[in-house]
Amino acid sequence: DARIDHLLVDEAQDTSPLQWAIIEHLVEEFHSGEGAERGDRTLFVVGDEKQSIYSFQGADLESFAAVRDRLMGKFAAAERPLERTVLDLSFRSGPAIIEAVDAVLADPEIRVSVAGEAEVSHQTFRRNAMSSVEIWPLVEPAERAARAGEGWQLPTERFDADEAEARLAEQIARTIAGWLENSAVLEATGSPIRAGDILILLQRRGIAQERILKALKERGIPVAGADRLKLTDSIAVEDLVALGEALLLPEDDLTLAALLKSPLVGLDEDDLFRLAFAREKKSLVDRLRTLGEAGEAPFAAAWERFRGWLAMADFMPPFELFTRILGPEGGRQRLLQRLGPDAAEPIEAFLAQTLAYEEGHPASLQGFIHWLGLESESLKRDMEQGTDAVRVMTVHGSKGLEAPIVFLAEAGPYRPQDAKDRLLFDPKSGLPLWRAAAPERDPVSQRIAEALEARQAAERWRLLYVAMTRARDRLYVTGWAKRSQRSDGSWHDVISRTLGSLPGLEPGASDGSRRLVRGVAGSEALSPVPTAPTTRPLPAWVGRPPPPEPPTRRLVQPSREEAAALPASSPLAGGASEARLFGTALHRLLHEIAAQPEADRKAMLDARLAAWPGLDAVARTELARQVRGVLDLPELAPAFGPQSRSEQPILGRIGESVIAGQIDRFAVTDTAVYLVDFKSNRLPPATAAAAPAAYLRQLAAYAALLEQLYPGRVIRAGLVWTAVPLLMAIPEALLEAHRPGGVVAA
């Protein structure tokens, strides 16, 4: 309550009673009266009872009306009445479609089912746009041919059924192909018809949807595929599952045969026959191994591929295995070449399932294949008009979508699916009753069943309203007849009778069709739509494997290597911690004091030593001696010159190693680079060659990087032993001997 000021409920007609209960709790304070500090709070509900088609998800118009009346009463009691506004202006459909919709709703039975007792009348913003509603004759089922001769058919003979659904699909595909090939235009806008302008609607998924998709693909028409697909029913996923099962049990002849014939391997029927025939008692995998190792084409390539997959399956988790096979092994490309671009989405969903499985289960191939078989969820595609392809979907799935051209492809006789739930629930008592066959029902269950059937019939008329109002410019109504059902009362019958009562009906483009046309051509003329760019061939690098990853470069910090190899020691009494404190103070003082004029150095040094924490008198005296001794060394004068730098960070690459360090002191002249490293915790060796190797490697690494920064200059490197003090020059040959791998960049 402290955070909600405004509440918007969209698609309110599809909101279930449980959801309304939540909403009513959220707005309790909205109608309780004016608060102390809150301004006006608002409830905004958008809904259209005529579009309530989701009863299977809990939507209930009776509950919707009851909640509306209850909320209006509470807000009115709080003297903040809710306003109810009817929106009857369509910004989508042209006048012919709106006129047909209103004519259908003029039927009293349909109007009561869709809108209750209220009169329904729509207006259209596109009142002059040319639009049409065309109704095609139902496709009649073919007569069953009498089968003469024997009572059984040879298994080698093939009998193709002449299905009405297939002939209707072919008619729709032929019509669309004609539009696209002849560059037909939409009369209202003058723009050419594209595949993405077409939406084909069905009442439910099934054989008709498959026939339409197949007919469109056979004519080369871009199609977006089914709007909802069970993942394991996709042919691409079935091939991938067969691959997994064959890798788990290669001796399963049927599964291996399915894999070999799939695009993943690519053998044809003749190859499979040669492989399987006359193999005696050998398994198919043994026969494939024999022919493959003998080099017989095409079995050699198939065996090589399958053997490689078998080797990977024992060591790779499912996601890595299938990603490798689909990617570098070329499996995705072969699947898409055979099955078309609409197979890409199921393949991606399959890979996503491998990841989902590995998040909560041991990453085993056998476990994943078993787990995937338990899944019953379907893949829902986003069918928003984003691609130039025909969309084929159910009316339920089209809610919220629109298209210039809509086909109602299943407007013929419709038989509701038998109820799967064998129970009926009494709305008064909530008690369950057995759903018996109609002749065996008692009066109570008969009354409940009739009420349920009436609600389903009313929702089906609302489904028709939703389907018709998806169209912008053209609406085609068609379907197929059924032997066992009459067409009376079907969508096709109602719209046909409705169009017959309207003036101006004319013959349509198809034989026996009739068309209602309204509006003026070119009333919404648009600028010419640019043609789609020609598809360019993929670049050559797409088919090549990526170059190998560069080796990981090792970060080398010479100062840390030195510390690890040579533990710190102090010229004074104490352990490693005192040595580190002494060394840190010495390096800092050398940096600060060297920057001062010679006349001010002593006073500055005394002041800094006096204020340095953690140092006793002996340490301060020793520090003062070493600092003054180093600064007074004449051979170090170039390193402390005007162009010198102190405590300089440096980073660069030498071979496959990245060098990161900090140079104690260096200076650059026109001819040379002076590089020195202070060593405060040790006494000097007898010669430079006897210096610890860690010191020499550190100087050599810094010298190699400075050579890249200052080419052409001589590198003069040395170790400064502060306890003496002494500058020990390191010969160039000694640096070269301790130099890291060849310098690549700096």
Side-chain angles (χ1 to χ4, degrees):
D1 177 54
R3 297 186 179 274
I4 297 178
D5 289 316
H6 310 285
L7 189 65
L8 167 64
V9 182
D10 196 12
E11 301 289 355
Q13 77 281 351
D14 295 324
T15 304
S16 70
L18 291 177
Q19 293 169 323
W20 277 121
I22 297 174
I23 294 169
E24 289 191 84
H25 283 297
L26 291 175
V27 300
E28 280 181 350
E29 293 298 320
F30 284 34
H31 49 68
S32 63
E34 186 176 352
E37 300 179 356
R38 307 290 290 234
D40 287 341
R41 295 190 281 187
T42 59
L43 170 65
F44 192 77
V45 180
V46 183
D48 183 1
E49 296 97 323
K50 300 188 298 297
Q51 298 190 46
S52 179
I53 58 175
Y54 289 106
S55 63
F56 59 87
Q57 292 182 355
D60 181 7
L61 282 182
E62 295 179 1
S63 174
F64 172 66
V67 171
R68 179 188 60 209
D69 296 341
R70 190 159 57 244
L71 287 176
M72 293 185 74
K74 291 181 179 180
F75 275 88
E79 298 183 351
R80 300 182 61 194
L82 292 175
E83 297 181 7
R84 186 178 181 186
T85 303
V86 177
L87 305 176
D88 58 3
L89 180 63
S90 171
F91 289 86
R92 173 190 299 152
S93 301
I97 299 166
I98 292 298
E99 187 176 345
V101 169
D102 284 351
V104 168
L105 294 182
D107 185 302
E109 179 185 350
I110 298 176
R111 187 189 69 247
V112 170
S113 298
V114 174
E117 298 297 334
E119 294 292 331
V120 179
S121 177
H122 296 89
Q123 304 296 323
T124 176
F125 180 79
R126 307 174 61 218
R127 60 175 61 92
N128 295 322
M130 191 168 190
S131 56
S132 64
V133 178
E134 184 169 331
I135 185 163
W136 294 355
L138 292 176
V139 177
E140 296 292 335
E143 292 295 332
R144 296 178 180 176
R147 294 185 177 180
E150 301 181 9
W152 59 276
Q153 304 296 327
L154 293 175
T156 56
E157 297 184 23
R158 178 176 176 178
F159 298 92
D160 292 326
D162 186 9
E163 299 174 332
E165 296 97 323
R167 285 187 281 125
L168 175 62
E170 177 59 28
Q171 183 181 2
I172 294 174
R174 184 171 60 249
T175 302
I176 295 174
W179 293 338
L180 300 181
E181 292 170 1
N182 299 322
S183 301
V185 299
L186 292 169
E187 294 84 355
T189 62
S191 59
I193 296 175
R194 301 178 303 111
D197 294 334
I198 301 168
L199 178 63
I200 301 175
L201 298 181
L202 299 160
Q203 295 194 48
R204 59 189 175 196
R205 299 174 187 88
I207 190 68
Q209 186 179 36
E210 296 176 5
R211 295 291 185 268
I212 293 173
L213 291 172
K214 178 183 178 183
L216 293 172
K217 291 178 181 178
E218 287 178 346
R219 288 187 173 268
I221 299 171
V223 59
D227 59 329
R228 191 180 292 270
L229 175 70
K230 186 178 178 182
L231 185 60
T232 52
D233 287 346
S234 166
I235 297 178
V237 174
E238 288 180 346
D239 287 342
L240 292 171
V241 170
L243 167 62
E245 292 176 343
L247 294 178
L248 290 170
L249 186 62
E251 291 76 14
D252 184 344
D253 290 347
L254 180 60
T255 300
L256 180 59
L259 170 63
L260 295 176
K261 195 171 179 295
S262 75
L264 293 170
V265 178
L267 299 185
D268 59 22
E269 291 281 358
D270 293 336
D271 296 330
L272 199 58
F273 181 80
R274 288 171 54 200
L275 186 66
F277 183 68
R279 55 190 167 101
E280 298 177 350
K281 295 184 178 181
K282 283 188 176 181
S283 66
L284 202 63
V285 68
D286 289 337
R287 174 75 166 174
L288 177 63
R289 180 188 299 109
T290 302
L291 296 180
E293 292 177 349
E296 184 172 344
F299 307 113
W303 169 246
E304 187 66 25
R305 185 175 297 167
F306 185 64
R307 183 177 63 176
W309 294 342
L310 283 172
M312 292 189 295
D314 291 336
F315 302 99
M316 289 185 177
F319 175 73
E320 185 178 349
L321 173 66
F322 286 107
T323 301
R324 176 71 177 271
I325 293 174
L326 290 170
E329 299 281 339
R332 185 197 308 270
Q333 183 179 2
R334 291 191 291 273
L335 286 170
L336 295 182
Q337 285 177 344
R338 173 86 65 85
L339 305 176
D342 52 319
E345 196 168 3
I347 293 173
E348 295 300 328
F350 176 84
L351 287 177
Q353 290 296 89
T354 62
L355 278 179
Y357 173 78
E358 291 182 15
E359 287 178 356
H361 305 81
S364 70
L365 179 60
Q366 183 169 358
F368 168 70
I369 295 297
H370 173 72
W371 176 82
L372 186 67
L374 301 177
E375 289 291 306
S376 59
E377 295 184 1
S378 57
L379 174 64
K380 183 179 180 181
R381 287 190 171 103
D382 182 9
M383 303 298 281
E384 291 285 351
Q385 190 173 359
T387 58
D388 188 15
V390 177
R391 293 167 288 172
V392 184
M393 64 178 67
T394 63
V395 181
H396 285 94
S398 72
K399 185 73 176 296
L401 303 180
E402 64 178 57
I405 302 174
V406 171
F407 284 87
L408 297 190
E410 195 178 359
Y414 180 81
R415 175 182 292 171
Q417 293 179 337
D418 295 333
K420 296 180 180 179
D421 192 350
R422 302 307 303 171
L423 295 178
L424 294 170
F425 287 88
D426 187 348
K428 295 181 179 179
S429 64
L431 295 176
L433 299 173
W434 181 253
R435 186 197 295 265
E440 303 173 0
R441 291 175 187 162
D442 59 89
V444 176
S445 61
Q446 178 66 20
R447 173 179 52 82
I448 298 173
E450 289 176 352
L452 177 60
E453 291 169 0
R455 287 197 298 271
Q456 292 173 344
E459 181 168 310
R460 188 162 169 268
W461 291 121
R462 294 194 294 271
L463 195 68
L464 172 61
Y465 173 81
V466 171
M468 296 180 70
T469 54
R470 298 309 94 195
R472 286 181 52 84
D473 300 305
R474 297 186 190 179
L475 176 64
Y476 293 86
V477 183
T478 183
W480 59 92
K482 298 180 180 179
R483 293 189 183 88
S484 59
Q485 290 178 269
R486 298 178 59 183
S487 300
D488 299 349
S490 67
W491 288 1
H492 188 277
D493 176 58
V494 169
I495 298 175
S496 180
R497 286 189 284 107
T498 298
L499 291 184
S501 66
L502 297 176
L505 202 64
E506 62 184 41
S510 300
D511 293 340
S513 64
R514 294 173 295 166
R515 185 173 65 160
L516 177 71
V517 180
R518 295 288 187 266
V520 181
S523 59
E524 297 177 338
L526 302 174
S527 57
V529 178
T531 58
T534 305
T535 304
R536 298 180 180 179
L538 293 175
W541 55 262
V542 172
R544 294 196 301 262
E549 291 287 337
T552 304
R553 298 186 179 96
R554 186 172 65 95
L555 179 63
V556 178
Q557 294 175 290
S559 58
R560 292 191 177 182
E561 289 192 349
E562 169 203 340
L566 301 168
S569 61
S570 172
L572 308 175
S577 59
E578 288 80 1
R580 282 191 292 273
L581 177 62
F582 186 91
T584 300
L586 177 64
H587 281 73
R588 188 64 185 168
L589 289 171
L590 285 171
H591 170 65
E592 295 178 355
I593 304 304
Q596 305 299 320
E598 290 190 15
D600 300 334
R601 288 180 175 178
K602 183 177 184 309
M604 179 70 174
L605 179 60
D606 292 342
R608 291 290 286 123
L609 284 172
W612 204 284
L615 294 176
D616 56 19
V618 176
R620 291 191 179 94
T621 300
E622 181 61 23
L623 275 171
R625 182 187 72 80
Q626 293 193 18
V627 170
R628 285 195 296 268
V630 170
L631 294 178
D632 290 343
L633 284 174
E635 56 270 32
L636 273 179
F640 288 100
Q643 301 298 323
S644 64
R645 298 184 185 182
S646 176
E647 306 291 339
Q648 175 63 50
I650 189 169
L651 179 68
R653 182 156 59 95
I654 299 178
E656 298 303 331
S657 299
V658 176
I659 305 297
Q662 183 169 284
I663 301 175
D664 288 348
R665 197 88 191 178
F666 84 99
V668 181
T669 67
D670 294 338
T671 59
V673 177
Y674 295 89
L675 164 66
V676 294
D677 200 42
F678 300 120
K679 302 303 176 186
S680 59
N681 299 328
R682 294 192 174 277
L683 296 176
T687 63
Y695 294 172
L696 298 177
R697 285 196 298 270
Q698 180 182 13
L699 273 182
Y702 294 160
L705 295 179
L706 291 174
E707 282 180 356
Q708 301 300 305
L709 292 173
Y710 304 102
R713 292 175 173 85
V714 178
I715 305 296
R716 302 189 182 281
L719 296 171
V720 178
W721 306 95
T722 61
V724 177
L726 171 69
L727 171 62
M728 178 179 287
I730 306 300
E732 184 177 348
L734 195 56
L735 288 176
E736 191 65 27
H738 289 82
R739 181 188 182 94
V743 176
V744 176

